[in-house]
Amino acid sequence: MKRREFYLQDDQSNKYWTVEVQGKEVVTTNGRIGAKPRETRASFDDAGAALREAEKEVLAKRRKGYLEGDLSAVPEYVQGLPPRFVRINHDDYHAQYVGKTAGGDQFFLTFPFVPRLGSETGGEYIALYLFDEFGLLKEAKVYSEHEQGLTTKTAIQEFTAQLLAGLGKYKFADIKVAPFSVERFGRPFGLIFDPGDEDDGNDEPYITVTVEPGNYMAFNPPWDGDYDT
């Protein structure tokens, strides 16, 4: 395995990790981006065993949120970055439809809305977000209840069941996913990060990740799955 480089930059971290297989050895380095690296070497019985160990370590780092990329191209760290992950704990309220597919993907089916206020026409939506096992958004499907002709609670439940059935085998479970924003119907949808206002008089800005539109789930540090409504 040639040298592979990974980094983690979020609201708490600014660090890197590299891995390389040299014969029967796995060579890794790690540290804060810009600091002197710490090197570790581990020896194995043969090159195959070393490669398997390196791939195992890569998988573990990816699951912790590390992204692969050229370290020389990583931007300078700044304050106010979003969290790498937001945990969404399965419950019987707004997080009723979160879980994992048999293929290892994660999903979040939810019901964004825009209130009818003033000149705003408003609208109700059904959104199905699909993430890979590392929490990165793969696909966002957003449907207008009006355009789909979903005028009753029963119709909405049946449409929801069809979306879930399209996932194949799945189970409801807690998930960890990255904040994101996509534009649909002329407005942003997603788990949208707000870095807060440093000029609001507080020592620390009030940072949140909210489900939009509708702002009906608001997550805060330490991003452990609890949310306000």
Side-chain angles (χ1 to χ4, degrees):
M1 176 189 289
K2 294 183 179 180
R3 176 184 167 99
R4 297 176 64 180
E5 300 178 341
F6 300 82
Y7 66 95
L8 177 59
Q9 284 187 325
D10 62 11
D11 59 326
Q12 299 291 328
S13 303
N14 181 36
K15 53 189 178 182
Y16 71 92
W17 178 79
T18 73
V19 62
E20 182 179 3
V21 176
Q22 297 178 355
K24 300 179 183 180
E25 284 190 327
V26 175
V27 183
T28 62
T29 64
N30 69 90
R32 183 177 176 83
I33 293 177
K36 183 178 179 180
R38 297 185 293 270
E39 182 180 278
T40 301
R41 290 177 175 267
S43 298
F44 296 85
D45 293 337
D46 53 58
L51 179 59
R52 289 190 294 273
E53 176 61 25
E55 291 174 341
K56 179 181 177 182
E57 292 189 31
V58 166
L59 184 60
K61 290 296 183 183
R62 291 294 311 278
R63 287 174 173 163
K64 290 181 178 180
Y66 281 76
L67 301 174
E68 186 166 7
D70 183 355
L71 292 180
S72 65
V74 174
E76 183 177 353
Y77 185 78
V78 295
Q79 296 294 326
L81 291 177
R84 178 62 184 83
F85 292 125
V86 173
R87 186 180 183 92
I88 305 178
N89 295 333
H90 176 250
D91 61 25
D92 58 2
Y93 193 36
H94 289 311
Q96 182 177 2
Y97 302 116
V98 301
K100 300 178 180 179
T101 69
D105 288 336
Q106 304 178 81
F107 67 88
F108 177 29
L109 191 154
T110 188
F111 303 91
F113 65 91
V114 177
R116 293 177 175 84
L117 298 173
S119 61
E120 180 65 69
T121 58
E124 288 77 37
Y125 304 89
I126 301 177
L128 175 60
Y129 303 122
L130 191 65
F131 310 84
D132 64 19
E133 66 173 307
F134 307 116
L136 298 178
L137 182 69
K138 293 178 62 176
E139 187 176 15
K141 297 180 179 180
V142 182
Y143 305 90
S144 164
E145 292 181 8
H146 174 72
E147 292 184 4
Q148 295 296 322
L150 306 176
T151 59
T152 67
K153 183 176 181 180
T154 298
I156 293 171
Q157 290 173 338
E158 291 176 349
F159 191 83
T160 299
Q162 291 174 9
L163 291 177
L164 291 172
L167 296 172
K169 292 184 178 181
Y170 66 87
K171 64 179 180 179
F172 294 125
D174 302 344
I175 62 174
K176 289 200 311 181
V177 297
F180 70 94
S181 177
V182 296
E183 185 170 318
R184 300 290 189 272
F185 301 98
R187 65 180 70 253
F189 282 75
L191 279 165
I192 299 178
F193 174 65
D194 182 352
D197 187 355
E198 295 183 355
D199 298 325
D200 62 3
N202 295 324
D203 293 335
E204 296 290 338
Y206 185 71
I207 60 177
T208 61
V209 171
T210 58
V211 180
E212 300 288 354
N215 189 14
Y216 53 97
M217 299 174 73
F219 299 88
N220 306 100
W223 319 110
D224 57 3
D226 291 338
Y227 60 88
D228 296 323
T229 59

